[in-house]
Amino acid sequence: MNVHNMMEDLVTAEVNALYDQVKKTSSPWLTCDCKNCRLDTISYVLNRIPPRYVVSGRGVTHSNEIFADHQLIADISAVAMDGLRIISSTKRPFHTLPREECEVKLEENPSYNFPTFSGTILDGSTFEPISGVKVLLKLDGKVVDMVDMTWSNPTQTFQSTRGAFTFWAKSIPAEKSGESKKFEFELEIDAEGYEKSYHYFDVPIISDTATKTELNTACSIKIRDIVLFKREVFEEDQAESKRQ
């Protein structure tokens, strides 16, 4: 059974039409209309409107009603224009790269495919999320390659995501499918004003017949919350331990 969100079709068409329209007017605020920027705008809109799912041909026949809903299209256009302006003013570093550099490469060879890793950095005194934290993922002492250019390592936490970080490690070749192996990862966490911290976790993986090219949010590992202590607090605790 295939589930499809009809809003993807409508939003994609509307965003592309808006980009083409604004580009023709030579608007000075439109700094780029590459495929990456357009996809970012489409994602921005889809995250802000209700989905409309269909699972069959009968469901698809209702698409005419959706595309004829003028109020819905007007609402989508308004959100799309907001997204277009925001994406144009805050482009991601990889936006000028060819789209193929921003996609997971399919390798039809046995591979260890990793789930996404996610976690949250908290202040040890307040247990509030910390933004501006640099998080580096390592394997066997080496920096781990990500699946494509849209994933960063090291990554950084932001206030908007409440101290959260996420990684999706690139697949590693295996000799054959069905092999089991345990990978030992290391997180190096560094934030201004806080004591540097290290966190370790193991991930058992069974190799697949090929690399996975699509993200599956159901296949994810949540790392326990990582708590950082401000440098002066850490030093006071260390001194107190020595006195005892």
Side-chain angles (χ1 to χ4, degrees), residues 17-98:
L18 275 176
Y19 265 102
D20 294 340
Q21 179 182 340
V22 174
K23 187 177 179 180
K24 285 182 180 179
T25 62
S26 300
S27 297
W29 55 266
L30 181 64
T31 57
C32 181
D33 73 321
C34 72
K35 188 174 182 179
N36 289 327
C37 286
R38 292 185 181 220
L39 288 173
D40 278 345
T41 304
I42 291 169
S43 178
Y44 176 91
V45 178
L46 287 172
N47 283 327
R48 287 163 176 79
I49 63 172
R52 302 280 184 90
Y53 294 111
V54 294
V55 295
S56 65
R58 183 180 179 183
V60 173
T61 59
H62 293 294
S63 63
N64 291 333
E65 300 175 11
I66 296 174
F67 281 84
D69 188 335
H70 299 296
Q71 183 58 55
L72 175 62
I73 294 175
D75 293 341
I76 290 175
S77 295
V79 178
M81 184 58 74
D82 287 341
L84 197 153
R85 289 180 179 275
I86 291 172
I87 298 303
S88 290
S89 62
T90 57
K91 294 182 290 296
R92 289 193 265 182
F94 56 80
H95 89 281
T96 56
L97 294 174

Side-chain angles (χ1 to χ4, degrees), residues 64-232:
N64 291 333
E65 300 175 11
I66 296 174
F67 281 84
D69 188 335
H70 299 296
Q71 183 58 55
L72 175 62
I73 294 175
D75 293 341
I76 290 175
S77 295
V79 178
M81 184 58 74
D82 287 341
L84 197 153
R85 289 180 179 275
I86 291 172
I87 298 303
S88 290
S89 62
T90 57
K91 294 182 290 296
R92 289 193 265 182
F94 56 80
H95 89 281
T96 56
L97 294 174
R99 187 60 202 168
E100 55 268 21
E101 294 295 326
C102 301
E103 296 177 342
V104 183
K105 304 293 190 302
L106 173 63
E107 299 287 344
E108 296 187 355
N109 299 307
S111 303
Y112 293 105
N113 294 303
F114 297 102
T116 56
F117 307 140
S118 62
T120 304
I121 311 294
L122 303 177
D123 182 284
S125 299
T126 65
F127 291 99
E128 288 294 318
I130 308 174
S131 60
V133 181
K134 177 183 174 183
V135 186
L136 180 66
L137 180 66
K138 291 182 177 181
L139 178 63
D140 297 328
K142 299 179 181 178
V143 176
V144 177
D145 291 332
M146 296 291 100
V147 291
D148 61 33
M149 295 296 293
T150 66
W151 295 78
S152 301
N153 187 24
T155 189
Q156 183 178 334
T157 63
F158 296 91
Q159 185 175 0
S160 59
T161 53
R162 296 191 56 76
F165 63 88
T166 309
F167 293 104
W168 189 13
K170 184 178 180 180
S171 299
I172 293 178
E175 292 186 3
K176 60 181 180 180
S177 62
E179 288 185 326
S180 179
K181 184 175 180 180
K182 184 171 69 174
F183 294 86
E184 299 179 352
F185 288 94
E186 174 190 354
L187 289 172
E188 183 179 300
I189 304 107
D190 195 9
E192 185 176 356
Y194 289 84
E195 188 66 22
K196 197 169 187 177
S197 178
Y198 300 88
H199 180 79
Y200 303 88
F201 62 98
D202 298 334
V203 181
I205 300 289
I206 297 176
S207 59
D208 296 310
T209 56
T211 59
K212 290 184 178 179
T213 60
E214 294 185 0
L215 177 65
N216 182 357
T217 54
C219 183
S220 177
I221 291 179
K222 176 67 170 69
I223 300 167
R224 65 177 177 81
D225 292 344
I226 298 173
V227 178
L228 298 186
F229 292 92
K230 291 186 177 179
R231 194 164 291 119
E232 58 270 21

